[in-house]
Amino acid sequence: MGNDRPAGFSPNIVELGSASTPSWLTEAASVRVREAEEQAFPDEEYAARLADVRERMAHAELDAMVVFRPSSVEYLCGFYTAETAPQPLLVTASETYLYIPDLEVGRALASSRVDEIRFCGYADALRGLELFLGHAATVLPRGARVGVEVGHASTPPRAVELLREQGFAVRHPDYLVERARLVLSPAELRCVEQAAVATQAGVEAAVVAAREPDATDSSVAASVAEALYRDANSPSAWGPVVATGRRGGIPHSSWVDRPLGDGPTFIEFAGTHHRYHAPVMRTLVRGELSAADARLAELARTAVAAVLEHARDGVTAGHVATEASWALGDLPDDVMFHRLLGYPVGLAHKPHWMDGVPFYLTPDNDEPLRSGMVFHIPGSFRSFGNSGVGLSQTFVVERDGARPLTHGAADLITL
């Protein structure tokens, strides 16, 4: 899927504050860095994304967006890095500016497609945002309406204060970029499909590891991780999760080097491709399944099947959730279920693959599903403190229904 960059591509790179042009930042070195990696998508894909976001900005009467969420920055310009310091992207009606520490110039050259890279000293970037947002004030007129997503931890509260101090009218644009990301392009869908291949390799590795006589939750997790990463070009944002025995009945418990118990062992993880995720839940079973655990498994099967039956283009998210809830009926008093029948997945950065707009399959969401949306169905049911069963699929919404992207049946796997 990689695409070579045009040989003549060269963003404008400018220092901020007291930073000076490093001796190592020569044109020859920059060319080598730009050629070190291939783009995940062709230039036309990024251009289409920016055009869509700018149209949404115009509709929302915004002069600019300052984007902090790392996955949304990558979505718009391709930039990604292991560094977690704030590195925002300024999007105006005609230009894009990426703000980074000098240590990230290489990553910006290797991965991003922006008009201008503005960098400052590494320590300056870690201390604050004044230099980044101070430059924004030279690009935009005083009083400009600037959209900033404030509902995500990647946006520092100080950033909003600084923008207001610069005389900007700060607006919360209701997840403008994240809503643009809800419908995946054909190229993005191919990434999720490739991620699902890795996910299935993880499932198969988990089964093999769990069949070992001395298997532990940790040995299963290690085998899953090795399978997910063996041929991967990106890490998963979360997991793998392995919870056996009673710990399976405690949500978000994971491996602690404990021998696999009889009954269910809950596993959850996601393969990736270019940081596009395809999560899955499966449940491994040793020995006989108790009646109580069989009941949990049937509830999980019902949830997944009901969502897949009713999800299609034009149907509201609330309708899908209501139909699935009706299929489940009243739950037994001892059963835990979060009542979340699905959430969008795709491009994601740490700490979790649920990294976008909170567009959930719940009864109160009256917005329609659209072809190209991708969801994970977290069908996890637990007897609190006793055991847990989780079954799921990642699927894409299409005109005539839902198409699972993850492989195999959402069912128990007997060891």
Side-chain angles (χ1 to χ4, degrees):
M1 176 167 289
N3 294 273
D4 292 331
R5 297 167 182 273
F9 166 71
S10 180
N12 192 24
I13 306 176
V14 184
E15 316 88 67
L16 289 170
S18 60
S20 58
T21 302
S23 59
W24 43 262
L25 189 56
T26 64
E27 180 56 32
S30 296
V31 170
R32 287 196 301 272
V33 171
R34 289 196 297 270
E35 294 175 348
E37 295 183 12
E38 294 179 330
Q39 289 179 266
F41 301 98
D43 290 346
E44 294 77 15
E45 177 96 6
Y46 293 110
R49 296 174 185 182
L50 276 171
D52 179 24
V53 163
R54 283 172 170 146
E55 184 176 341
R56 291 168 184 265
M57 287 165 52
H59 182 75
E61 299 182 336
L62 294 174
D63 301 302
M65 283 284 300
V66 179
V67 183
F68 281 95
R69 190 192 291 256
S71 57
S72 290
V73 171
E74 179 178 2
Y75 175 79
L76 291 174
C77 74
F79 175 67
Y80 69 94
T81 176
E83 174 58 66
T84 58
Q87 297 171 83
L89 178 73
L90 173 64
V91 181
T92 71
S94 59
E95 303 291 330
T96 52
Y97 302 84
L98 180 63
Y99 300 108
I100 57 172
D102 55 9
L103 201 61
E104 299 303 309
V105 168
R107 290 300 318 141
L109 285 170
S111 64
S112 72
R113 299 291 295 184
V114 291
D115 297 307
E116 190 162 295
I117 297 169
R118 288 272 175 165
F119 71 90
C120 64
Y122 191 66
D124 291 331
L126 293 177
R127 279 199 296 263
L129 300 164
E130 286 84 355
L131 290 172
F132 293 163
L133 301 183
H135 172 263
T138 69
V139 173
L140 301 170
R142 189 171 181 83
R145 295 157 298 190
V146 179
V148 181
E149 180 195 346
V150 297
H152 189 259
S154 61
T155 301
R158 176 62 176 151
V160 176
E161 296 176 12
L162 288 169
L163 288 167
R164 287 177 175 152
E165 289 172 5
Q166 297 286 355
F168 297 134
V170 179
R171 300 285 185 264
H172 180 17
D174 190 27
Y175 300 98
L176 187 148
V177 179
E178 289 68 32
R179 288 187 179 277
R181 292 170 50 189
L182 274 173
V183 175
L184 275 62
S185 70
E188 289 181 288
L189 280 175
R190 288 193 291 272
C191 285
V192 180
E193 290 170 339
Q194 186 63 41
V197 173
T199 302
Q200 182 59 22
V203 173
E204 294 168 1
V207 173
V208 171
R211 284 177 173 157
E212 293 294 326
D214 57 350
T216 66
D217 51 10
S218 296
S219 68
V220 172
S223 293
V224 170
E226 194 277 334
L228 294 182
Y229 291 168
R230 184 187 305 122
D231 300 314
N233 60 19
S234 56
S236 180
W238 193 65
V241 169
V242 182
T244 192
R246 291 186 176 181
R247 299 185 73 255
I250 307 172
H252 293 160
S253 297
S254 193
W255 43 273
V256 290
D257 198 24
R258 177 169 295 187
L260 295 194
D262 290 336
T265 293
F266 170 88
I267 60 175
E268 182 182 18
F269 46 82
T272 65
H273 188 67
H274 290 307
R275 288 156 300 284
Y276 283 79
H277 288 62
V280 80
M281 294 176 176
R282 294 290 183 260
T283 300
L284 315 176
V285 179
R286 272 189 170 182
E288 296 295 323
L289 196 68
S290 70
D293 290 336
R295 178 189 58 181
L296 297 176
E298 187 55 33
L299 289 170
R301 293 189 196 98
T302 298
V304 174
V307 171
L308 293 176
E309 177 183 358
H310 294 283
R312 59 178 45 82
D313 182 80
V315 172
T316 67
H319 174 77
V320 175
T322 298
E323 290 293 332
S325 296
W326 181 86
L328 288 168
D330 294 330
L331 298 181
D333 290 341
D334 65 318
V335 172
M336 297 180 65
F337 179 55
H338 40 58
R339 295 290 179 181
L340 179 63
L341 276 305
Y343 54 81
V345 293
L347 177 61
H349 287 218
K350 290 179 181 296
H352 200 274
W353 57 64
M354 193 160 53
D355 186 14
V357 62
F359 188 102
Y360 303 140
L361 301 185
T362 51
D364 60 348
N365 185 355
D366 295 326
E367 294 194 50
L369 304 182
R370 290 177 287 162
S371 293
M373 288 182 170
V374 174
F375 291 89
H376 178 228
I377 314 167
S380 57
F381 294 79
R382 297 173 173 88
S383 174
F384 187 53
N386 290 319
S387 62
V389 171
L391 305 174
S392 77
Q393 299 285 29
T394 292
F395 72 91
V396 59
V397 176
E398 297 182 333
R399 184 185 65 181
D400 298 322
R403 175 168 64 92
L405 299 174
T406 39
H407 301 187
D411 209 344
L412 304 176
I413 300 173
T414 303
L415 299 176

